[in-house]
């Protein structure tokens, strides 16, 4: 039995064949925002950017929209806004709505994440549970959210997950796993098993845009609600569309499909102040995340954009 925060419960597992389902969403522009982490300022920036998108569009929050929002008013507001769009649950929402013994935050943390971080995350979910417990009407809708969605954009099948093709809290779509030959090989098998042209994920906190031969793309938006690169204070959302984005910070075009990373330039000063009201110096979220919120993680845009060989179908920008 793995320690709380490291295990991946059997109820989280669905397997790639579950992603062969008929698409439930059809759009010309599909926006996907995972890892909002309770940042209402990033949510406002996202909605503003999404409002400017013309045509037939859809917005999906693919999990972990709650995390830092331990103030009940924040939690309730974010819950209401997110659930007005399409949403899937992440491990955070699952462990709020259906807490399981010994699972902790449900993050399924791998070896490279230290024990201190894991313990702090387990305490963060406990504090957030106290908040959601004061808003019990929010729990049934969270419990009812699916773990994955399939969408169609043009002719492309988009499999939207929180973790990876196997499970809600899987790390196979992390930048770390995709930096290995075995990780890339596993991902290619997942495309075959799921019948997907694009996988859109989140959960692992760092973004990656990995192109595969044959016009397949795996896009992990990192975090919508936290900085993703050293020295850059913006969250990221994924946009998958039949037209290019105006303001992508990087992207790839595969035939008719544009897969872009959209920056969410939220009010950093206001968010920092609000974060500190909820998580002052010495608190668990402060210890785990404050440096990242201020400076960004030790990661760069250049490290996030990856391709295997050269593919005549796809070109990065
Ligand atoms: Fe997660």
């Amino acid at each position: 039995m793995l320690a709380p925060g490291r295990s991946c419960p059997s109820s989280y597992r669905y397997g790639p064949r579950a992603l062969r389902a008929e698409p439930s969403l059809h759009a010309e522009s599909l926006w996907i925002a995972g890892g909002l982490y309770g940042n209402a300022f990033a949510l406002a920036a996202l909605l503003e950017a999404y409002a400017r998108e013309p045509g037939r569009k859809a917005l999906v929050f693919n999990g972990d929209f709650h995390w830092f929002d331990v103030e009940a008013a924040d939690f309730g507001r974010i819950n209401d806004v997110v659930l007005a769009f399409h949403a899937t649950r992440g491990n955070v929402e699952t462990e709020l709505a259906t807490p399981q013994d010994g699972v902790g935050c449900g993050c399924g943390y791998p070896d490279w994440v230290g024990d201190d971080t894991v313990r702090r995350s387990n305490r963060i979910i406990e504090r957030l549970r106290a908040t959601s417990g004061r808003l019990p009407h929010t729990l049934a809708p969270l419990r009812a959210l699916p773990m994955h969605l399939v969408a169609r954009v043009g002719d492309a099948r988009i499999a939207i997950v929180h973790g990876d093709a196997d499970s809600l809290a899987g790390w196979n779509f992390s930048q770390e796993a995709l930096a290995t030959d075995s990780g890339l090989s596993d991902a290619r098998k997942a495309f075959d098993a799921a019948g997907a042209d694009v996988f859109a994920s989140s959960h692992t906190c760092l973004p990656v845009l990995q192109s595969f031969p044959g016009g397949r793309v795996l896009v992990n938006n990192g975090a919508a609600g936290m900085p993703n690169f050293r020295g850059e204070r913006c969250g990221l959302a994924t946009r998958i569309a039949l037209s290019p984005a105006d303001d992508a910070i990087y992207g790839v075009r595969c035939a008719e499909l544009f897969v872009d990373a959209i920056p969410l330039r939220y009010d950093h000063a206001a968010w920092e102040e609000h974060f500190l009201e909820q998580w002052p110096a010495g608190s668990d979220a402060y210890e785990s995340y404050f440096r990242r919120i201020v400076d960004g993680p030790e990661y760069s845009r250049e490290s996030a954009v990856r391709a295997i060989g050269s593919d005549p179908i796809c070109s990065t920008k």
Side-chain angles (χ1 to χ4, degrees):
M1 181 74 181
L2 291 167
R6 293 207 184 266
S7 60
C8 194
S10 58
S11 59
Y12 281 17
R13 297 194 183 277
Y14 39 82
R17 296 193 67 82
L19 304 169
R20 286 185 168 267
E22 278 301 303
S24 58
L25 276 175
H26 295 77
E28 293 167 349
S29 305
L30 174 67
W31 286 54
I32 302 157
L36 184 66
Y37 297 124
N39 180 345
F41 299 90
L43 178 58
L46 169 66
L47 296 183
E48 212 170 279
Y50 180 68
R52 291 194 294 269
E53 177 76 60
R56 191 175 176 195
K57 60 185 177 179
L59 169 58
V60 178
F61 290 89
N62 59 330
D64 291 1
F65 35 94
H66 294 300
W67 191 232
F68 300 132
D69 48 338
V70 288
E71 276 187 7
D74 261 17
F75 186 100
R77 211 163 26 235
I78 287 172
N79 209 65
D80 288 347
V81 171
V82 166
L83 296 189
F85 294 90
H86 301 279
T88 64
R89 57 190 158 94
N91 52 290
V92 172
E93 292 75 34
T94 303
E95 294 311 316
L96 293 176
T98 325
Q100 300 173 73
D101 284 346
V103 171
C105 61
C107 301
Y109 282 122
D111 296 347
W112 65 78
V113 176
D115 287 339
D116 287 349
T117 299
V118 176
R119 281 192 283 266
R120 286 195 292 267
S121 289
N122 291 336
R123 291 194 293 262
I124 291 169
I125 195 85
E126 277 174 31
R127 201 173 148 196
L128 197 57
R129 258 184 217 132
T131 302
S132 62
R134 294 204 295 277
L135 302 165
H137 65 281
T138 61
L139 297 178
L142 292 179
R143 200 174 296 131
L145 291 176
M147 289 195 279
H148 44 75
L149 279 178
V150 179
R152 185 173 282 283
V153 177
D155 291 330
R157 278 176 57 85
I158 320 294
I160 304 168
V161 296
H162 179 66
D164 62 27
D166 286 312
S167 87
L168 186 70
W171 285 68
N172 289 344
F173 292 171
S174 64
Q175 70 89 12
E176 292 88 348
L178 293 168
T180 66
D181 287 343
S182 64
L184 289 171
S185 167
D186 288 346
R188 288 169 84 151
K189 287 178 199 153
F191 276 104
D192 290 337
D197 299 297
V198 178
F199 276 116
S201 70
S202 183
H203 178 57
T204 62
C205 265
L206 289 176
V208 62
L209 177 64
Q210 173 74 59
S211 306
F212 292 84
R216 288 166 158 180
V217 180
L218 193 164
V219 58
N220 182 331
N221 76 303
M226 279 197 291
N228 291 276
F229 305 117
R230 176 60 46 149
E232 295 190 49
R233 289 175 171 170
C234 60
L236 285 182
T238 294
R239 177 183 181 273
I240 301 168
L242 302 177
S243 58
D246 294 337
D247 55 350
I249 61 169
Y250 57 79
V252 62
R253 177 182 187 175
C254 294
E256 65 167 356
L257 204 66
F258 295 82
V259 181
D260 287 311
I262 307 295
L264 305 178
R265 296 197 173 89
Y266 56 84
D267 182 339
H268 168 80
W271 167 236
E272 182 180 320
E273 187 182 336
H274 192 56
F275 174 85
L276 289 171
E277 284 165 8
Q278 297 173 94
W279 298 98
S283 66
D284 289 309
Y286 180 94
E287 292 300 322
S288 284
Y289 299 103
F290 188 65
R291 283 268 54 91
R292 173 169 174 165
I293 288 168
V294 173
D295 296 327
E298 202 56 66
Y299 194 61
S300 67
R301 294 184 189 191
E302 295 71 31
S303 324
V305 183
R306 307 170 189 183
I308 300 173
S310 63
D311 185 341
I313 300 173
C314 296
S315 57
T316 52
K317 64 181 182 206

